[in-house]
Structure formats: structure tokens, C-alpha cells
């Protein structure tokens, strides 16, 4: 896409650094000035304002569609933003009702038998609706986690874990009398 559309900027996001290093090296080798990479997860990206948001987000079956919409709903431009989600299998009717379009990968590539997947396209407004109906909640950043058992705070571990072991005494492992099978005899 970046080769065919040098006038469009692409930000490639993945949590696996090795993939991004490989893709970054390819972009550099091809002298693609319109490709940048982000090592992390889509749901961890924070943008400053509407001008920093993306025209299009592309995802491919990395999570349930409603969860993916929840992750990226804040990344799309509100008016003209779109999600292209590549998926195989069925989707719920409540979500399929919000589709702008659906096209098989075979048709997109003009190549029968290339893939059993299809590209689903949603407008930003529908992505936000799906996100809101998903039931997922944003994590509160900067809020200190409350300990589940405050009485255990700063106490030593239970049992004999805190005691030093005498290394002169052999450990009791329960298999000292084990006889190894000898294939030579």
C-alpha cells in the first residue's frame, strides 16, 4: 500500500518488535518515506487531538470485532475515519447491520482462491457505536491499585521459604533410588 500510495502516510503498529524491525528494514531498503512503525499495542496509543487521528485503521482478526472497535475507536477521525477489518467466519447480526461494505479478499485481489477472508468496512460513527455497546471499559491511568488484602502488606512469605538451606545436606527429591534404563544391557 505504501509503495502504491506514496502521498499517504502509514503507521504500522505491532506488539512484536521483531516484526516491526523487519518491516522497518524493508521500508528503509525500499526508500519509503511514508512508513513509520510503532512498537506497542493499538489500545495503548494516545493521540493529542483530532488532527493526529487516522483516516483509516486496518486490523486483521486479532480480537473479537467489538473488542477491536473498542481499542481503536479513539484513533479514528470522527467524521471521515474508517475501519477496514479483515476477518473470516461469521459476525453477529448486530454488528453486520453497521457495515458500510463487505468485500471478499479474492475480489479485492482479483484472484479466485487467494483467501477465504473478507474485508469489512465500518465508518467511525459505527465503530464508536460498536465500541460503546461492547461493554469494555477504559482503564484509569494513574489511579493507584488498591491491595486486595492490606493486612499482608510487607510480611514475609509463609512456610520455610525465608529460611536459608544447608547446602551440605543433599536435597530430598524422591528419586534417589531411580535406576536409569541402560540400552546396552
Amino acid at each position: 500500500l505504501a509503495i502504491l500510495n506514496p502521498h499517504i502516510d502509514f503507521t504500522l503498529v505491532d506488539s512484536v518488535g521483531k516484526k516491526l524491525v523487519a518491516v522497518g528494514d524493508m521500508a528503509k531498503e525500499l526508500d519509503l518515506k511514508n512508513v513509520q512503525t510503532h512498537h506497542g499495542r493499538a489500545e495503548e496509543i494516545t493521540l493529542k487531538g483530532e488532527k493526529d487521528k487516522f483516516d483509516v485503521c486496518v486490523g486483521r482478526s486479532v480480537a473479537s470485532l467489538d473488542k477491536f472497535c473498542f481499542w481503536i475507536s479513539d484513533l479514528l477521525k470522527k467524521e471521515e475515519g474508517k475501519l477496514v477489518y479483515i476477518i473470516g467466519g461469521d459476525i453477529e447480526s448486530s454488528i453486520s447491520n453497521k457495515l458500510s461494505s463487505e468485500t471478499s479478499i479474492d475480489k479485492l485481489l482479483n484472484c479466485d482462491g487467494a483467501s477465504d477472508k473478507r474485508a469489512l468496512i465500518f465508518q467511525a460513527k459505527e465503530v464508536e457505536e460498536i465500541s460503546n455497546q461492547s461493554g469494555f471499559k477504559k482503564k484509569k491511568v494513574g489511579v493507584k491499585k488498591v491491595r486486595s488484602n492490606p493486612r499482608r502488606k510487607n510480611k514475609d512469605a509463609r512456610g520455610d521459604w525465608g529460611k536459608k538451606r544447608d547446602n551440605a545436606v543433599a536435597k530430598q527429591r524422591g528419586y534417589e533410588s531411580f535406576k536409569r534404563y541402560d540400552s546396552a544391557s
Side-chain angles (χ1 to χ4, degrees), residues 8-26:
I8 299 174
D9 291 327
F10 292 85
T11 301
L12 310 177
V13 179
D14 204 305
S15 62
V16 180
K18 286 169 62 173
K19 289 181 198 175
L20 289 177
V21 168
V23 170
D25 288 348
M26 288 179 223

Side-chain angles (χ1 to χ4, degrees), residues 103-180:
T103 307
S104 72
I105 299 298
D106 287 359
K107 187 174 179 183
L108 285 173
L109 299 177
N110 196 22
C111 179
D112 288 339
S115 176
D116 62 341
K117 302 203 180 316
R118 60 198 193 282
L120 309 177
I121 300 173
F122 297 91
Q123 300 297 321
K125 184 177 76 170
E126 282 72 27
V127 170
E128 191 163 0
E129 281 180 31
I130 295 168
S131 172
N132 291 340
Q133 294 168 359
S134 71
F136 296 106
K137 301 289 180 209
K138 299 275 183 198
K139 292 181 182 175
K140 293 181 181 175
V141 179
V143 177
K144 190 175 179 182
K145 184 179 177 185
V146 178
R147 293 172 94 52
S148 59
N149 187 351
R151 290 178 292 158
R152 292 283 307 145
K153 185 178 178 182
N154 298 327
K155 288 195 176 183
D156 292 333
R158 294 180 180 166
D160 292 333
W161 292 103
K163 296 180 183 176
K164 290 281 186 187
R165 193 179 101 51
D166 183 4
N167 289 328
V169 178
K171 290 181 180 178
Q172 298 295 316
R173 292 194 169 106
Y175 54 84
E176 287 79 13
S177 62
F178 176 77
K179 301 254 193 265
R180 193 169 288 285

Side-chain angles (χ1 to χ4, degrees), residues 26-121:
M26 288 179 223
K28 186 176 180 182
E29 189 69 29
L30 294 168
D31 198 32
L32 297 174
K33 306 281 190 235
N34 59 338
V35 174
Q36 67 177 356
T37 60
H38 174 79
H39 185 198
R41 301 175 62 89
E43 64 269 28
E44 296 169 348
I45 296 175
T46 54
L47 302 172
K48 293 176 185 151
E50 186 69 19
K51 68 177 181 66
D52 294 331
K53 293 188 177 190
F54 299 98
D55 296 309
V56 178
C57 286
V58 179
R60 56 153 197 86
S61 301
V62 294
S64 64
L65 185 53
D66 60 339
K67 183 181 277 190
F68 191 78
C69 288
F70 174 73
W71 289 344
I72 61 108
S73 63
D74 292 339
L75 302 179
L76 289 173
K77 289 184 177 176
K78 295 296 176 206
E79 295 301 317
E80 66 270 15
K82 291 179 179 49
L83 165 63
V84 178
Y85 198 70
I86 300 170
I87 190 171
D90 298 325
I91 59 171
E92 298 173 27
S93 61
S94 63
I95 292 176
S96 65
N97 294 338
K98 294 176 176 41
L99 274 171
S100 293
S101 74
E102 177 178 356
T103 307
S104 72
I105 299 298
D106 287 359
K107 187 174 179 183
L108 285 173
L109 299 177
N110 196 22
C111 179
D112 288 339
S115 176
D116 62 341
K117 302 203 180 316
R118 60 198 193 282
L120 309 177
I121 300 173

